[in-house]
Amino acid sequence: MTALGAVFRPQLAPERLRAVARVADAVGLEELWLWEDCFREGGISAAAAALAWTERVRVGVGLLPVPLRNVALTAMEAATLHRMFPGRAVLGVGHGVQDWMGQVGARVESPVTLLREHLTALRALLRGERVTTRGRYVRLDDVGLDWPPEGRVEVLAGATGPRSLRLAGEAADGTILTSTTPADGVRRARGLIEEGRAAAGRTEPHPVVVHLLAATGPGAADRLRAELAAEGVDSVPGLGVAGDAGTVAKAVERLAEAGADTVILQPTGDEPDPEGFVRFAAEEVRPLVA
């Protein structure tokens, strides 16, 4: 079965998160995702709060930009969330938006190399290993977590281009695709991910999470068009969906047929009713998705 979730977008003030998270938990939404867009809410702090305010919904952060963090700190924070809220935290990492990384003095010459080194060290630390490595960017000297997670923890990677998609298959436990990925793009991404998995000899499941820009209610089509135009992708066919639950469910199923294991409904940045959008996803769209 395709898992379904929704995004709490960081265009909303942090104090709005509590109400949205509690609605997500109450109506049975499977996953609530957060973003760490510069320079809005912090991903780990927001995830910790959302997890503490809820009982059952899984909370994902997609994604944490690795240039902003020492890998040991990422591991410490991830392990803490997984121990406090077992089975409910989902963390994704990525090389971040390069313009933003440049603004804070964290841009690197090879973002893919940094992501590879970060993923390799992070997954080892979360397995409870002691790690010594001297990479181009990641350097650790006999580092191990005092409180590693109990059990296996999946680390997802955000990826768009062919190199990062192959890397995700090789070095991550799952992949996050943005809302600018139509169904055909999901199929191509799956193929590239599988190339990376084959090269690394990996055979375990590799979940693919895909965001779907969605709008419903009055003015939905106009809001969707405006957001696609603002992102410069309004000429790309098959992106986003506007309409009622049946229309949105069909769009979700198209992504699932293309290879998405989880589809996260992404409201427009000007969504007038974030709590209502979460209810719409859980109570109206979810029953229509196989």
Side-chain angles (χ1 to χ4, degrees):
M1 177 183 290
T2 305
L4 191 70
V7 178
F8 175 87
R9 290 189 57 158
Q11 283 87 350
L12 294 170
E15 56 268 25
R16 295 290 302 275
L17 176 58
R18 183 174 185 173
V20 174
R22 287 189 165 179
V23 168
D25 209 44
V27 299
L29 187 71
E30 291 155 272
E31 298 185 3
L32 178 67
W33 280 72
L34 313 170
W35 294 351
E36 190 168 72
D37 278 0
C38 294
F39 299 95
R40 297 182 171 117
E41 291 97 345
I44 294 294
S45 54
L51 288 162
W53 288 326
T54 56
E55 297 292 334
R56 46 149 304 280
V57 66
R58 283 162 56 88
V59 176
V61 181
L63 44 79
L64 301 170
V66 298
L68 295 181
R69 284 183 178 77
N70 183 284
V71 69
L73 179 60
T74 308
M76 290 161 58
E77 292 183 323
T80 299
L81 287 182
H82 281 286
R83 290 186 69 105
M84 290 195 300
F85 308 101
R88 293 181 54 215
V90 186
L91 296 182
V93 298
H95 48 58
V97 176
Q98 295 308 294
D99 287 347
W100 288 342
M101 299 304 100
Q103 280 183 269
V104 297
R107 188 166 185 164
V108 298
E109 186 177 358
S110 178
V112 173
T113 299
L114 170 57
L115 183 57
R116 178 188 299 278
E117 293 179 357
H118 196 102
L119 280 166
T120 301
L122 177 59
R123 293 177 64 239
L125 290 167
L126 293 176
R127 290 193 297 266
E129 299 176 14
R130 299 198 70 83
V131 180
T132 296
T133 182
R134 292 191 63 80
R136 182 174 178 181
Y137 300 110
V138 174
R139 299 185 179 187
L140 301 174
D141 182 9
D142 192 31
V143 174
L145 297 176
D146 284 3
W147 296 102
E150 296 179 342
R152 182 174 183 268
V153 170
E154 292 182 343
V155 178
L156 281 61
T160 52
R163 289 181 64 202
S164 56
L165 286 164
R166 292 189 187 97
L167 171 60
E170 177 184 345
D173 300 303
T175 301
I176 302 169
L177 303 178
T178 71
S179 63
T180 58
T181 313
D184 286 346
V186 175
R187 291 189 185 91
R188 288 192 294 271
R190 265 291 187 189
L192 292 164
I193 291 165
E194 290 304 317
E195 289 179 15
R197 280 163 47 79
R202 301 188 65 175
T203 58
E204 72 274 27
H206 185 103
V208 172
V209 178
V210 183
H211 287 69
L212 172 63
L213 184 62
T216 192
D222 290 338
R223 286 188 286 114
L224 178 68
R225 280 194 297 269
E227 179 129 339
L228 291 173
E231 293 292 325
V233 292
D234 48 324
S235 62
V236 179
L239 289 184
V241 59
D244 61 12
T247 303
V248 174
K250 288 177 182 177
V252 171
E253 290 180 341
R254 285 194 292 272
L255 293 175
E257 290 166 0
D261 298 290
T262 299
V263 176
I264 306 300
L265 299 184
Q266 174 182 318
T268 59
D270 59 353
E271 166 59 48
D273 183 7
E275 292 87 354
F277 186 86
V278 166
R279 290 185 182 278
F280 169 74
E283 296 179 342
E284 298 185 45
V285 179
R286 170 76 272 177
L288 301 179
V289 176

